[in-house]
Amino acid sequence: MAEASGGRSAQLKHTGLRPGWTTGACATAAATAAYTALLTGDFPDPVTITLPKGQTPAFALAVEELTEDGPGEAPGEPSGRRATAGVVKDAGDDPDVTHGALVRVTARALPPGSGVVFKAGPGVGTVTRPGLPLDVGEPAINPVPRQMMRDHLAQVAARHGGGEADVELTVSVDHGEEIARSTWNPRLGILGGLSILGTTGIVVPYSCSAWIDSIRRGVDVARAAGRTHVAGCTGSTSEKTVVAEYGLHEDALLDMGDFAGAVLKYIRRHPVERLTICGGFAKLSKLAAGHLDLHSARSQVDKGFLAGLARQGGADEALATEVAAANTGLAALQLCAAAGVPLGDLVAATARDQALEVLRGAPVAVDVICIDRAGNVVGRSTVR
């Protein structure tokens, strides 16, 4: 009989795979250590940070450098003192291309009122095209890692004399530009290196067989607990969305990841009354297009397909052409939203219909929710 535990954490435990840390978590640890040294002259080692879900990992420092560069770069600026800390990324058992990469952060004091300013150092990319959650020209340091760094630096400032953290953070990754050639960054218009990523700080290890087995176990646990409504979620943000929408218990939450087909095929054989699929708009557009494996290495967002859906929603040919040429799925969504075309709802409805096809008449009602990176609902289907 299945244990009475389920949800994302139970699935991860069941795989037997060791989780790791995102580049965002590594950068936060390095930034915290560097800023502490900038204020006190001493580097904390190991340095402990708090992740968005409350975990408190400790990171050993691979680099500690404190330099004095003389007076500030402009009259009235603080001295050019800089502190650099580096952390080696451990991706756990995930075959992440950034495993073993050295993430460095250099902190330099800025005049009062400057706040925290982010710069891309060597090996960190710069955004050059619209359609990403950062403005063109910004360092490719995603919103959640930026907020993690701001929060930790505010705590350091409060511990050492109060006031605000007014500091420039230059984030770099050794050999990052070379590593980035193995990612989708160049195609997305992120040039010069890697992105600093992560919404939870934790890298969930990837293994097809182990993760699919954990999905099956999650369904078994939910059914054993008498759950009639379960949700297949692509990640932690979508998980939060369905909990807020439906108040589902933890053991009704399936960490689907990229394996939409695994969820649907197992629930076809082991039905529940209702299945909600929730995930990012771009990922679920792949499901809508008929892909059951949503991993970026095996399926891509088809902008031509999105253009066809946009036409169904009332887009004229000029808009459909723009959608087909968009840099990302998010950019296509934004173009349609500005024109009043409900592309998010169309993707959700089409993804639901694809899911029902895979279920082959199993007695399961399905609805789909599409979200953006911040967790805002940008599309939803009715229940069928």
Side-chain angles (χ1 to χ4, degrees):
M1 183 168 176
E3 298 174 26
S5 64
R8 185 180 181 87
S9 59
Q11 278 185 249
L12 179 58
K13 183 178 180 181
H14 181 63
T15 65
L17 299 173
R18 186 172 63 88
W21 313 115
T22 63
T23 47
C26 296
T28 299
T32 302
Y35 187 51
T36 301
L38 191 70
L39 297 183
T40 68
D42 294 317
F43 290 87
D45 187 13
V47 56
T48 300
I49 64 171
T50 301
L51 299 179
K53 286 196 169 184
Q55 302 97 327
T56 54
F59 294 80
L61 297 185
V63 172
E64 298 179 11
E65 297 174 358
L66 191 60
T67 59
E68 298 282 355
D69 288 346
E73 296 179 359
E77 273 197 358
S79 75
R81 188 185 202 199
R82 288 170 170 78
T84 300
V87 169
V88 174
K89 176 176 172 175
D90 178 2
D93 289 331
D94 191 72
D96 190 319
V97 295
T98 59
H99 177 70
L102 179 58
V103 180
R104 303 174 187 255
V105 178
T106 297
R108 181 177 72 90
L110 295 177
S114 299
V116 179
V117 176
F118 296 95
K119 291 185 67 177
V124 170
T126 298
V127 177
T128 66
R129 296 183 198 162
L132 296 167
L134 298 166
D135 292 335
V136 171
E138 281 290 309
I141 303 168
N142 271 21
V144 172
R146 288 182 186 228
Q147 192 57 50
M148 287 172 61
M149 284 185 259
R150 289 190 192 99
D151 291 345
H152 282 78
L153 267 57
Q155 295 168 16
V156 172
R159 283 197 300 269
H160 300 287
E164 301 294 324
D166 297 303
V167 60
E168 175 189 89
L169 297 181
T170 301
V171 184
S172 60
V173 180
D174 286 19
H175 310 294
E177 187 166 6
E178 177 183 344
I179 297 169
R181 296 191 190 111
S182 300
T183 73
W184 285 96
N185 275 16
R187 296 191 188 189
L188 295 174
I190 298 172
L191 303 182
L194 293 163
S195 301
I196 303 300
L197 302 171
T199 55
T200 65
I202 297 174
V203 173
V204 176
Y206 174 82
S207 162
C208 288
S209 59
W211 206 255
I212 289 171
D213 184 55
S214 79
I215 288 170
R216 293 169 177 168
R217 179 180 181 277
V219 174
D220 292 343
V221 167
R223 283 165 49 89
R227 306 301 174 193
T228 59
H229 183 185
V230 301
C233 305
T234 58
S236 60
T237 304
S238 52
E239 188 176 277
K240 289 177 185 175
T241 300
V242 294
V243 169
E245 289 274 332
Y246 302 119
L248 295 181
H249 191 274
E250 181 188 38
D251 59 17
L253 303 174
L254 307 173
D255 193 345
M256 177 175 77
D258 294 310
F259 301 111
V263 170
L264 293 165
K265 291 172 185 177
Y266 197 70
I267 287 179
R268 182 174 71 207
R269 300 191 298 272
H270 305 274
V272 292
E273 290 182 17
R274 181 174 174 185
L275 167 66
T276 295
I277 296 173
C278 184
F281 168 81
K283 268 193 190 297
L284 294 189
S285 77
K286 300 179 189 180
L287 176 59
H291 297 287
L292 299 182
D293 185 338
L294 311 181
H295 194 277
S296 61
R298 288 173 294 282
S299 61
Q300 297 303 314
V301 175
D302 184 343
K303 267 72 69 90
F305 170 76
L306 292 179
L309 286 183
R311 289 187 186 95
Q312 293 176 29
D316 59 22
E317 278 306 309
L319 176 57
T321 299
E322 285 189 87
V323 168
N327 185 37
T328 63
L330 176 60
L333 179 68
Q334 291 170 338
L335 287 167
C336 287
V341 174
L343 185 59
D345 292 338
L346 291 162
V347 163
T350 309
R352 175 204 58 203
D353 293 345
Q354 288 287 351
L356 290 169
E357 281 194 27
V358 178
L359 288 168
R360 297 179 188 170
V364 182
V366 178
D367 68 304
V368 173
I369 300 174
C370 298
I371 60 173
D372 64 15
R373 290 174 183 266
N376 301 308
V377 175
V378 296
R380 63 170 75 232
S381 73
T382 56
V383 180
R384 272 188 52 191

